[in-house]
Amino acid sequence: MVPHRPVNLKNKRFHQVVAHEMWHCVQLWNFPEQINQPDDMTLMRWYSVIDWWVEGSAEYFSNVVYPQVNNEHFRAAKFDRKSRKQSLIDMSYETFGFFQFLANKASTNSQDGNINFILDLIRSLPSDGSKIDQEK
């Protein structure tokens, strides 16, 4: 992660951005089948298939770590606008709201249980195919 301008290390928004980027490390370590590109697909093509959960879950989990910062809120209007005509699979960062919704609706009474619900969802996603396969 290389900042484009000087960074105030005490800024909580910066902390949430770092948490977002750290979540990508967690994804690579814990979901290698879901995140690593299939042999028959270029990296950019595969990323266009999985972008919806890769970036959306990173935004969601950065908010779990820093719940009072709400850096993700500026994406809510974009989600509202896009969701009228697009599938979640065709979105990116703005799908944080979907993951938040799932965590809120999970049938557990603990933060850990809600997080595990999201982790299990990610583990269940296909390791190849297209956006259509992601929707199944």
Side-chain angles (χ1 to χ4, degrees), residues 29-97:
W29 185 260
N30 290 284
F31 312 114
E33 291 180 13
Q34 288 75 20
I35 205 164
N36 289 324
Q37 75 199 69
D39 292 337
D40 63 341
M41 202 177 287
T42 65
L43 178 60
M44 291 307 291
R45 183 163 171 244
W46 181 238
Y47 189 74
S48 74
V49 171
I50 63 173
D51 185 40
W52 74 275
W53 69 264
V54 170
E55 297 301 345
S57 66
E59 282 293 283
Y60 165 72
F61 279 105
S62 73
N63 185 55
V64 169
V65 175
Y66 291 103
Q68 302 303 316
V69 177
N70 298 321
N71 200 34
E72 75 286 353
H73 282 192
F74 79 95
R75 299 187 195 281
K78 190 173 184 181
F79 176 81
D80 188 43
R81 189 175 59 256
K82 281 183 153 186
S83 65
R84 294 176 192 159
K85 297 180 181 177
Q86 285 183 308
S87 165
L88 284 171
I89 307 302
D90 294 320
M91 295 185 209
S92 182
Y93 296 83
E94 57 274 3
T95 63
F96 81 89

